[in-house]
């Protein structure tokens, strides 16, 4: 099989979409390492590392190496995303989503440059993280669409028709029921709450001790204890809604995949919440903050998976016994 034939295989596109999603999670984790080691200004300018050098200099030592290495990972991520776009165009599947993911990478690079040039302004740092969450959502959607949609086969019969979102269209029985509509609405609420938790979390970090540079004093002018309390309250609300969703999914006879996704989300949220409480009461050690950032990505992906399953999977429908009319033989 030629290289061109391999590139044109839908399986190749699915794998690239998965790698693209995981690479975006990795860049969030490595970006957190830059911040937590105080290396945010290890390269004090952008796009070069210093005014006189493209690469780190002895003046900035290890911090420069850490910051510069994180910048280089952006090129690796760009290569993966561009390869995904090329294959999507060749296969003629989900090219718009792949293009949207590709656009996000230079936007993220420019925002990262603005963050450095503004001396790690905490609001631009927060925007940098939240843009990563948007890109992760796009790459997840791309991977999900390719994973769920069957490969179109010319002249084949019996394949489910695609709905307006690109997912298989729902059958008349189940997906149009009030129970399924309730599950979809609740799943959307979960995603909105998760996004709120992530946004408030960036404010908590921006008002706390990890500004991204050892000598930085620029902080978001909020009381860290008050913002942390708000963050914890919204997290508890999210866990409560997710737990209720898992119970509702079982009661409504949702698909086993949706039920598993719901309980997985609850488990990830509980683990993330525990890490958050421990890091708060241990005065936010850098290692736990880094693990918490990875956990944020996992919670986000788990919430997106719940929504994707709720939108794509019909509720299980059992036959309803019909009572015979009077005088009718059983």
């Amino acid at each position: 099989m030629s290289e061109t034939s391999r590139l044109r295989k839908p399986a190749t596109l699915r794998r690239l979409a998965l790698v693209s999603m995981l690479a975006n999670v990795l860049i969030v984790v490595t970006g957190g390492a830059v911040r937590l080691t105080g290396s945010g200004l290890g390269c004090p300018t952008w796009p070069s590392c210093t005014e006189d050098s493209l690469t780190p200099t002895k003046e900035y030592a290890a911090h420069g190496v850490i910051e510069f290495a994180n910048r280089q990972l952006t090129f690796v991520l760009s290569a993966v995303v561009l390869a995904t776009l090329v294959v999507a165009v060749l296969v003629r599947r989900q090219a718009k989503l792949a293009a949207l993911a590709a656009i996000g990478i230079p936007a993220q690079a420019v925002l990262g440059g603005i963050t450095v040039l503004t001396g790690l302004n905490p609001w631009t740092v927060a925007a940098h993280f939240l843009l990563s969450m948007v890109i992760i959502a796009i790459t997840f959607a791309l991977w999900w669409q390719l994973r769920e949609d069957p490969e179109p086969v010319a002249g084949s019969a019996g394949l489910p028709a695609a709905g307006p979102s690109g997912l298989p269209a729902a059958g008349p029985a189940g997906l149009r029921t009030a129970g399924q509509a309730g599950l979809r609405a609740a799943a959307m609420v979960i995603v909105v709450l998760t996004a709120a938790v992530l946004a408030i979390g960036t404010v908590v970090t921006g008002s706390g001790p990890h500004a991204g540079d050892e000598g930085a004093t620029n902080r978001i002018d909020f009381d860290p204890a008050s913002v942390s309390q708000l963050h914890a309250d919204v997290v508890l609300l999210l866990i409560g809604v997710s737990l209720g969703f898992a119970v509702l999914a079982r009661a409504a006879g949702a698909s086993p995949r949706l039920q598993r996704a719901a309980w997985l989300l609850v488990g990830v949220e509980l683990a993330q919440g525990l890490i958050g409480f421990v890091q708060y009461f241990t005065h936010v050690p850098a290692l736990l903050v880094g693990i918490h950032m990875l956990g944020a990505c996992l919670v986000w992906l788990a919430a997106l998976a719940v929504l994707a399953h709720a939108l794509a999977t019909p509720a299980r429908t059992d036959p309803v016994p019909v009572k015979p009319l009077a005088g009718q033989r059983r």
Side-chain angles (χ1 to χ4, degrees):
M1 181 182 296
S2 66
E3 291 299 322
T4 304
S5 298
R6 287 194 182 94
L7 288 178
R8 290 180 180 275
K9 292 184 65 175
T12 300
L13 181 56
R14 282 196 300 272
R15 294 188 189 102
L16 282 170
L18 178 60
V19 171
S20 179
M21 180 179 68
L22 295 177
N24 276 285
V25 172
L26 177 63
I27 205 75
V28 170
V29 175
T30 58
V34 170
R35 183 184 182 98
L36 297 170
T37 57
S39 304
L41 293 179
C43 286
T45 188
W46 184 88
S48 61
C49 188
T50 68
E51 293 183 359
D52 303 319
S53 175
L54 178 64
T55 58
T57 62
K58 292 182 180 180
E59 180 184 358
Y60 294 96
H63 292 314
V65 172
I66 293 171
E67 163 64 6
F68 187 74
N70 184 65
R71 291 187 184 185
Q72 301 316 298
L73 282 176
T74 302
F75 292 102
V76 177
L77 177 59
S78 300
V80 173
V81 172
L82 286 175
T84 305
L85 175 59
V86 169
V87 176
V89 172
L90 289 174
V91 178
R92 297 182 180 179
R93 296 185 69 193
Q94 303 300 334
K96 290 182 179 179
L97 268 178
L100 193 59
I103 292 172
I105 303 306
Q108 186 71 301
V110 171
L111 183 55
I114 294 172
T115 301
V116 171
L117 295 175
T118 56
L120 303 183
N121 182 290
W123 290 110
T124 60
V125 172
H128 197 45
F129 173 81
L130 293 176
L131 180 55
S132 288
M133 295 299 104
V134 173
I135 298 172
I136 287 173
I138 294 170
T139 53
F140 171 85
L142 174 61
W143 171 73
W144 177 267
Q145 300 276 22
L146 296 168
R147 173 178 175 268
E148 289 297 301
D149 288 349
E151 180 183 356
V153 180
S156 62
L159 292 178
S165 65
L167 295 171
L175 280 179
R176 295 176 184 173
T177 64
Q180 184 66 17
L183 286 175
R184 289 181 172 185
M188 291 178 183
V189 169
I190 286 174
V191 170
V192 171
L193 280 175
T194 305
V197 167
L198 294 174
I200 298 171
T202 63
V203 178
V204 173
T205 304
S207 62
H210 297 293
D213 182 62
E214 291 182 341
T217 58
N218 195 6
R219 301 283 192 277
I220 294 177
D221 191 20
F222 290 140
D223 176 37
S226 299
V227 179
S228 297
Q229 183 61 57
L230 175 62
H231 183 60
D233 291 342
V234 181
V235 167
L236 290 175
L237 176 61
L238 173 61
I239 293 174
V241 172
S242 300
L243 185 59
F245 179 89
V247 174
L248 175 63
R250 180 175 178 81
S255 69
R257 291 201 304 172
L258 176 55
Q259 293 188 47
R260 286 194 297 270
W263 287 112
L264 177 62
L265 172 62
V266 172
V268 174
E269 287 171 348
L270 289 173
Q272 176 75 336
L274 177 61
I275 294 170
F277 277 109
V278 171
Q279 76 172 13
Y280 179 78
F281 289 109
T282 55
H283 308 291
V284 286
L287 178 60
L288 281 183
V289 175
I291 296 173
H292 201 56
M293 290 187 68
L294 173 60
C297 295
L298 297 180
V299 170
W300 183 229
L301 287 172
L304 292 173
V306 165
L307 178 59
H309 280 296
L311 292 174
T313 309
R316 187 175 65 244
T317 54
D318 300 318
V320 179
V322 179
K323 184 176 180 180
L325 298 175
Q328 183 177 359
R329 294 183 62 185
R330 293 181 179 273

